[in-house]
Amino acid sequence: MDVPMETWNGLGAQLTSLWLNRFYIYSCAAFGFSLWLCIQFITKAKKQNAKHLQMFSKVTEDGLAKDQTGDRHITGVKIFYGSQTGTAKGFASILAEAVATLNLPGEVIDMRDYDPDDSLAEEATSKNVCVFLAATYTDGKPTDNAAWFCKWLEEAANDFRVGKKYLKGLQYAVFGLGNSLYADHYNTVGRSIDRWLWMLGASRILSCTKGDSNVSKSKHGSIEADFEAWKAKFLARLKGLGKGQKKPCSGRCKKGRCGSKKKGSPEGSDREQRALRREEKEEEEPFETTSEEESSGEEGGAASPVVDVEDLGKVVGRMKKAQRERELEEEVSQRGGSQQATGEDERREMITPALREALTKQGYRLIGSHSGVKLCRWTKSMLRGRGGCYKHTFYGIESHRCMETTPSLACANKCVFCWRHHTNPVGTEWRWKMDQPDMILQEAIENHQNLIKQFKGVPGVRGDRLEEGMLPKHCALSLVGEPIMYPEINRFLRLLHHCNISSFLVTNAQFPVEIRNLEPVTQLYVSVDASTKESLKKIDRPLFKDFWQRFLDSLKALAEKQQRTVYRLTLVKAWNVEELQAYSELVSLGKPDFIEVKGVTYCGDSSASSLTMANVPWHEEVVHFVQELTDLLPDYEIACEHEHSNCLLIAHKKFKIDGEWHTWIDYDRFQDLVREYERTGAAMTFTSADYAAQTPPWAVFGARERGFDPQDTRFQRKNKTKDISGC
């Protein structure tokens, strides 16, 4: 069929129009194609991003799953403790609870129950962090429960047959517990454990930290505060290790501060180094490292003890430089200490919060920042008419009117028979804030009266004695600590005498100068716990290095006193009962008026002492000892006895007048004499014979009452039956 001419003409016109406008058509097509390509590219990119995000999420979830299923950088924390008094053990429990907050298992281990020979090497591959809380005991020795662990560790570290990479992979930290007053042995055990572990190839995660029980020198005010500061730092480090962070240094650490990275490392930029130094300064300032070898590097395990000859000059140079730095630090420290001493407000309080809690639980009423008062059991006994203490028998003290207090809770000894189990602080000089004596005395009397008031209405308490007990007549400055350390002790004694309160002051014979400077007291005691240097060190465990000379000088100072003086001997069976001849020589040195000999009182189990009931002598054994001692002392005789306290009194024969003993005290006469002494500016002196009073027959040695006042009623605790005989 033929197409009409008109159709061809119309189609040609359209084709001609398209051909003439072909540029626009091509441009539209190109634009559309470009738009399609862009859409395809964006869509593909979105799909790829979604795929990568999904893969990243999967990897992260897998990684977390691995961490949760045990493939961690840290699997747990094992906390080893060496404790004698329980402090390190308590810290271990606190640390375990803190570790648990990081979702890490923490295990507390008594070193006594752990065999390092079988198990310690396994810790290097277990991914556990091992923490060692180690206390230093007498003469720098480990505590009883840590003795074997430390012995094994020391032998292994020094045994050439044990590889120097024996514990390679073991990560550890050490916190030592010590007292800087024991300068020769300060934190010896903690520092030694740190060194021995390092020698066996273990890796520190923190420098060894030295906790200090000496309040005045502790970096944070107490050993508890030192531990809390270290704990916070340890937990922060533990978090970093849990994330896989390595030690942010080259391992060449010195004095607790991490050295910078090598210059070629990516982390070695100035900005990062400045930030790192700031961070280290904030975190590391309280602590110091204790291993001298640490500065030689840790990455390769223990350093070789061999030094090339050409390197010897460098080594000597470093040693001299380190010595100069130490001397400079000591000089600055001493200068700072002297500046601190000039400002009373800058000194720390003797009673820390932990100490306050411990002493309060023991029944103390604490006064200010360093004093305390407590009700004696003999005060309670005499309020009930059940007899008084041996001071009532020997010297006529009214036990229900006796206030037991101290202006200084600190002491310079840590005696094995300490009846406070060493909860009180120790010190060799006054380094704490000081309260005024008038405030101490006022609050001591108020607290004592409040304690007496608690017995109102108690069955058996005599009303007349309760009323008398509200007015203290005697003050026993023997509660705990060393009262003579208090710088204002003479003012305190004068205030006591102005209140018509007699003074019975006890000192541990470590402060001869203070004894010489002491103004008259009613009766001055010196504790003579041993008669030889070796046994005194073993029993009293003094802080002073020259303790024996101080002891002898104190006895000589006592001989110069004109008022009543007393040696107080505490017999500890199997410790000091065989030293009769040596005791007699000490008596000739101090020439005391009286000698009290008392069997040690067992105050219960104490991890701070090895004392047991086996060390407590029977009364017959004390009597036998006293009889043998008086045979060596021609100027002395046995005067009194208090069987219930397991105590006897040896008196100088000058107190036996016309065949009658005069060991009791005329307290009113003493107050008159001391007032005259003060009025005349010490010109009118007096002696112990001027205020002596006759001893009643029932208090004399050999009487059937054996020191029990017949006016009271004796109770036998075992069968709760009354003994009205007074025997």
Side-chain angles (χ1 to χ4, degrees), residues 252-266:
R252 298 180 177 273
C253 304
K254 187 176 183 180
K255 294 185 178 179
R257 287 172 170 75
C258 296
S260 61
K261 294 282 184 180
K262 295 181 179 180
K263 293 182 178 180
S265 64

Side-chain angles (χ1 to χ4, degrees), residues 403-430:
M403 176 177 66
E404 193 172 24
T405 187
T406 180
S408 171
L409 291 164
C411 185
N413 291 345
K414 303 192 76 170
C415 304
V416 296
F417 49 76
C418 178
W419 64 314
R420 291 301 167 211
H421 301 319
H422 311 130
T423 50
N424 59 303
V426 292
T428 56
E429 59 181 318
W430 195 270

Side-chain angles (χ1 to χ4, degrees), residues 635-674:
D635 295 331
Y636 294 83
E637 287 184 13
I638 304 176
C640 302
E641 175 186 25
H642 192 257
E643 182 191 29
H644 192 68
S645 294
N646 197 9
C647 186
L648 283 89
L649 179 69
I650 301 173
H652 196 282
K653 290 181 180 180
K654 66 182 180 181
F655 291 96
K656 196 171 188 179
I657 305 172
D658 297 330
E660 302 289 339
W661 282 111
H662 288 67
T663 65
W664 276 37
I665 298 173
D666 186 338
Y667 293 102
D668 293 334
R669 176 61 178 159
F670 170 79
Q671 298 296 350
D672 292 339
L673 291 170
V674 78

Side-chain angles (χ1 to χ4, degrees), residues 392-394 396 640 660-661 663-664 693-701 703:
H392 172 63
T393 300
F394 296 171
C640 302
E660 302 289 339
W661 282 111
T663 65
W664 276 37
Q694 186 173 350
T695 309
W698 59 264
V700 175
F701 178 70

Side-chain angles (χ1 to χ4, degrees), residues 307-561:
V307 180
D308 290 338
V309 175
E310 55 257 33
D311 294 333
L312 191 58
K314 298 179 181 179
V315 173
V316 173
R318 286 198 299 268
M319 292 175 62
K320 290 182 177 179
K321 182 179 179 181
Q323 178 66 24
R324 287 195 298 271
E325 291 176 351
R326 284 194 296 269
E327 291 174 353
L328 180 60
E329 288 174 356
E330 291 176 0
E331 182 180 352
V332 172
S333 176
Q334 293 174 358
R335 189 161 56 241
S338 62
Q339 291 174 354
Q340 184 179 10
T342 59
E344 185 67 28
D345 294 338
E346 297 179 3
R347 294 189 176 190
R348 292 170 176 165
E349 293 187 357
M350 179 188 295
I351 305 176
T352 64
L355 177 61
R356 184 176 296 276
E357 180 181 0
L359 292 176
T360 302
K361 287 181 179 178
Q362 295 177 20
Y364 281 84
R365 293 292 181 91
L366 299 179
I367 302 167
S369 63
H370 53 75
S371 308
V373 65
K374 192 176 187 292
L375 209 60
C376 175
R377 74 180 184 93
W378 287 110
T379 300
K380 305 172 187 177
S381 175
M382 203 160 187
L383 284 171
R384 295 177 175 178
R386 298 182 179 182
C389 72
Y390 70 90
K391 294 188 186 72
H392 172 63
T393 300
F394 296 171
Y395 316 118
I397 277 184
E398 299 173 82
S399 300
H400 63 293
R401 302 187 67 182
C402 182
M403 176 177 66
E404 193 172 24
T405 187
T406 180
S408 171
L409 291 164
C411 185
N413 291 345
K414 303 192 76 170
C415 304
V416 296
F417 49 76
C418 178
W419 64 314
R420 291 301 167 211
H421 301 319
H422 311 130
T423 50
N424 59 303
V426 292
T428 56
E429 59 181 318
W430 195 270
R431 295 178 176 270
W432 307 279
K433 288 183 178 180
M434 188 181 70
D435 300 325
Q436 294 303 308
D438 52 349
M439 183 275 288
I440 296 174
L441 180 58
Q442 179 182 350
E443 292 198 19
I445 294 175
E446 291 177 358
N447 279 281
H448 177 78
Q449 290 173 337
N450 290 334
L451 291 169
I452 294 291
K453 286 179 183 178
Q454 296 177 3
F455 283 82
K456 187 176 182 179
V458 174
V461 172
R462 293 173 48 172
D464 57 335
R465 290 190 176 177
L466 184 66
E467 184 178 353
E468 291 174 344
M470 293 296 294
L471 297 174
K473 186 178 180 180
H474 317 285
C475 181
L477 295 167
S478 61
L479 178 60
V480 72
E482 181 65 81
I484 207 169
M485 285 181 65
Y486 177 49
E488 295 291 343
I489 185 62
N490 281 324
R491 281 183 59 199
F492 185 78
L493 290 169
R494 287 196 295 269
L495 289 172
L496 281 174
H497 300 153
H498 291 167
C499 296
N500 288 321
I501 299 176
S502 63
S503 52
F504 290 75
L505 188 146
V506 181
T507 176
N508 286 319
Q510 290 295 298
F511 297 91
V513 175
E514 286 76 4
I515 292 177
R516 287 192 174 90
N517 295 334
L518 197 65
E519 295 184 8
V521 296
T522 309
Q523 190 155 282
L524 177 60
Y525 288 79
V526 168
S527 294
V528 182
D529 299 325
S531 60
T532 66
K533 182 177 181 179
E534 293 72 21
S535 57
L536 186 68
K537 182 178 181 181
K538 183 179 179 181
I539 294 175
D540 279 5
R541 295 187 291 180
L543 273 69
F544 285 107
K545 296 179 182 179
D546 58 341
F547 66 92
W548 182 245
Q549 189 59 50
R550 284 177 168 271
F551 178 74
L552 297 178
D553 290 344
S554 295
L555 299 186
K556 294 175 183 177
L558 196 75
E560 301 171 6
K561 293 296 177 181

